[in-house]
Amino acid sequence: MTTDHHHHHRPNDRPSNPNETLPSSTGGITPATQRNSKTTPTYGSTSDGGNDKNEVDQPCSPTYTLDGGTETPLVTSPDASVVAIHGSVMTSNQFPFPIPPGVGGRGGKYGKNTMSMDDWAKIAGDITSRKGSVTVSTQGQGQSTIEEEGRGTESRKNNGEAAHKEKGEKKKKTRTTKNGRIIAIDFDDVCSENMATIVKQHNLRYGTDLTLDDLQTYVFWQNRGFGTPAEVARKVQALNNLLPLTTPIPGFVAGLKTLHELGHPIHIVTSRPAKDEQGLKDWLSDQGITIGHEPKDVIVQAHFTGSYGDVNKPIEPRGDDDEFERELNERLKELWKDGVGKGKGGLAKLKILRNINASLFVDDHHGNLEPIVTADPPIPCLLFGEYGWNRSRSGITSPVEMMDYNERMSSGLPLPFQEIQFGREQNIHRVKDWEELVQWIREWDEEEEEQEDKSG
């Protein structure tokens, strides 16, 4: 996703963890319409300076395991055939031969006449100019025969290479990329501008001046302006039902339709709860995207894991009991650590990916991808967007990561930073927007076709 502002690194703001989304449900608000703009709106920017001087190492990444296997469907494409036609003709003065007008100066539209040696020599000369060296010989009874002279080993080799090249070119022209490999895609911040909407509504309701760049982690209480875990849980209730107000990611509609036209079955796999299903379908329908099994349907099915229900359960408004509030925050932090820190969201998505036999998964949150790309066997993944929360790998296991934003600032500690490793060996690549996503998949398809050609 592109935004109207550039992301500037601040040492105190580093991504750490996922909270896939604040839960939402459908409501009576008029749905957002699709925007043509390629940028995400920003909302008045200020940020705390912070006093982050001490670097803290990121803890080692946890190991994820999940029994199961996956098979990548074989990819088939129609092959063009190259047909070579070879023939020889003979005639004699005793056997008249039907000839077209203009040959030998005789015959009508379908006239029959005998052909002289001069006539055959003329035809042979035409063939020579097209195919190479030929000779015309007379073999008994006045018969004329056209014989192709031997061209040698090198000539036959060249002809073979040319034929192979011609076959490859025809095959390339007639090939389709409808290979049927299943692609699974996250919803929030890949299809919809979820975080930007949360920031905007938070500013309107609580009088803050946050921007999208303030979200340096998916764990809201690690970011500036969101408060303690208990305060975040209360805000979840107040900022519920935002999907109808949420705008689409630029390019996602055209991108999804292109992948559909390429023949890829597309599934949505989201950490939203199942209660959001109808609202999500309605939102997609407003963008011109339908779910189903008809040819016109771009998405086959939407899957909901509800991974973060435990940390977003309703809680009572804050009272005067400070000790109770402190204990509540500690319990919520442990829930976050047990769920998010152990890759609960990613493991839930991995289970669905196995069930639908997905060959590729796209998500904006690196913490969700770690269990998937390190599984056995792994599933290749694309990390979508250049967001604050996916600039480095996520974690919620170290003491610093267990602090909320204000606690870290008072201690002068930044979030740990560990660079994400991309590449074929890591099974993960970054795409900054839908244009790059579609181009990456086109090249991915081409690689599969080339492998098919080699094996075929």
Side-chain angles (χ1 to χ4, degrees), residues 23 42 68-69 77 99 161 237 307 313 344 390 398 414 416:
T42 57
S77 298
I99 58 175
E161 291 176 351
Q237 301 169 53
S307 299
K313 288 181 178 178
K344 182 178 179 180
N390 67 19
S398 69

Side-chain angles (χ1 to χ4, degrees), residues 9 22 39 42 68 116 127 176 198 234 291 303 313 316 319 321-322 342 355 388 401-402 421 428-429:
H9 166 60
L22 292 175
T39 57
T42 57
S116 68
I127 297 175
T176 66
I198 290 173
R234 295 183 182 105
I291 299 177
H303 309 264
K313 288 181 178 178
E316 295 296 325
D321 191 340
D322 293 340
K342 295 181 179 179
N355 289 339
E401 291 170 323
M402 292 293 286
Q421 299 297 316
I428 183 171
H429 305 267

Side-chain angles (χ1 to χ4, degrees), residues 2 29 47 70-71 77 86 122 139 213 249 310 334 343 405:
T2 57
I29 304 177
S47 61
T70 183
E71 295 182 11
S77 298
H86 174 75
K122 179 180 178 181
Q139 299 179 352
D213 200 41
I249 294 287
D310 290 344
E334 288 300 321
Y405 181 86

Side-chain angles (χ1 to χ4, degrees), residues 200-450:
K200 181 177 181 179
Q201 295 303 315
H202 189 282
N203 288 342
L204 292 174
R205 185 175 184 93
Y206 299 103
T208 52
D209 59 355
L210 302 175
T211 70
L212 194 64
D213 200 41
D214 284 305
L215 293 176
Q216 296 294 300
T217 163
Y218 242 110
V219 181
F220 284 96
W221 44 267
Q222 291 179 339
N223 296 297
R224 181 179 82 89
F226 282 90
T228 65
E231 289 170 338
V232 167
R234 295 183 182 105
K235 288 178 179 179
V236 165
Q237 301 169 53
L239 296 175
N240 199 8
N241 192 32
L242 296 183
L243 185 54
L245 300 175
T246 304
T247 48
I249 294 287
F252 108 92
V253 172
L256 279 181
K257 289 182 177 179
T258 298
L259 299 184
H260 175 64
E261 290 168 359
L262 292 176
H264 292 286
I266 302 169
H267 291 247
I268 294 291
V269 180
T270 174
S271 293
R272 284 176 173 264
K275 68 182 180 65
D276 283 1
E277 180 175 2
Q278 190 57 51
L280 185 145
K281 288 182 177 179
D282 292 342
W283 186 91
L284 287 171
S285 179
D286 290 337
Q287 317 307 320
I289 301 294
T290 56
I291 299 177
H293 299 278
E294 298 296 326
K296 66 179 179 62
D297 297 320
V298 176
I299 296 172
V300 177
Q301 190 175 354
H303 309 264
F304 302 81
T305 68
S307 299
Y308 304 111
D310 290 344
V311 297
N312 290 323
K313 288 181 178 178
I315 61 174
E316 295 296 325
R318 194 187 193 292
D320 296 331
D321 191 340
D322 293 340
E323 182 61 23
F324 174 82
E325 189 75 3
R326 187 190 67 78
E327 292 178 357
L328 176 60
N329 281 316
E330 292 303 314
R331 288 200 303 271
L332 288 172
K333 286 181 180 180
E334 288 300 321
L335 285 174
W336 278 94
K337 181 178 179 179
D338 184 61
V340 178
K342 295 181 179 179
K344 182 178 179 180
L347 289 170
K349 290 187 174 185
L350 175 59
K351 183 177 181 179
I352 292 174
L353 298 179
R354 295 287 194 219
N355 289 339
I356 65 176
N357 198 26
S359 297
L360 182 71
F361 181 52
V362 184
D363 201 318
D364 66 293
H365 176 46
H366 179 256
N368 284 339
L369 300 185
E370 280 190 298
I372 298 170
V373 299
T374 58
D376 185 17
I379 298 174
C381 292
L382 298 181
L383 182 62
F384 183 88
E386 294 178 322
Y387 300 118
W389 59 84
N390 67 19
R391 289 175 183 165
S392 73
R393 66 167 300 278
S394 302
I396 188 171
T397 55
S398 69
V400 174
E401 291 170 323
M402 292 293 286
M403 297 179 179
D404 64 41
Y405 181 86
N406 291 331
E407 289 172 336
R408 284 194 298 105
M409 292 301 98
S410 63
S411 300
L413 297 173
L415 280 172
F417 175 83
Q418 184 175 343
E419 184 178 358
I420 299 172
Q421 299 297 316
F422 296 100
R424 190 180 297 271
E425 291 184 0
Q426 289 77 22
N427 299 302
I428 183 171
H429 305 267
R430 186 192 292 276
V431 290
K432 69 178 182 180
D433 53 27
W434 270 93
E435 182 178 355
E436 282 195 3
L437 188 156
V438 171
Q439 180 59 33
W440 192 95
I441 290 176
R442 285 186 186 276
E443 294 173 1
W444 181 58
D445 285 343
E446 290 173 1
E447 288 183 5
E448 183 72 13
E449 292 165 1
E450 290 174 0

Side-chain angles (χ1 to χ4, degrees), residues 55-109:
E55 292 295 332
V56 180
D57 292 334
Q58 175 74 15
C60 294
S61 175
T63 300
Y64 305 98
T65 59
L66 183 67
D67 292 334
T70 183
E71 295 182 11
T72 300
L74 291 176
V75 181
T76 59
S77 298
D79 290 332
S81 61
V82 179
V83 180
I85 302 176
H86 174 75
S88 61
V89 278
M90 297 178 62
T91 189
S92 72
N93 292 331
Q94 289 74 34
F95 297 97
F97 190 74
I99 58 175
V103 176
R106 298 182 292 276
K109 184 176 182 182

Side-chain angles (χ1 to χ4, degrees), residues 84-143:
I85 302 176
H86 174 75
S88 61
V89 278
M90 297 178 62
T91 189
S92 72
N93 292 331
Q94 289 74 34
F95 297 97
F97 190 74
I99 58 175
V103 176
R106 298 182 292 276
K109 184 176 182 182
Y110 298 105
K112 291 185 178 181
N113 210 331
T114 58
M115 295 182 66
S116 68
M117 288 299 298
D118 291 337
D119 293 328
W120 281 112
K122 179 180 178 181
I123 295 174
D126 291 340
I127 297 175
T128 302
S129 64
R130 296 192 304 270
K131 297 184 64 177
S133 175
V134 294
T135 61
V136 179
S137 62
T138 303
Q139 299 179 352
Q141 305 297 322
Q143 282 189 335

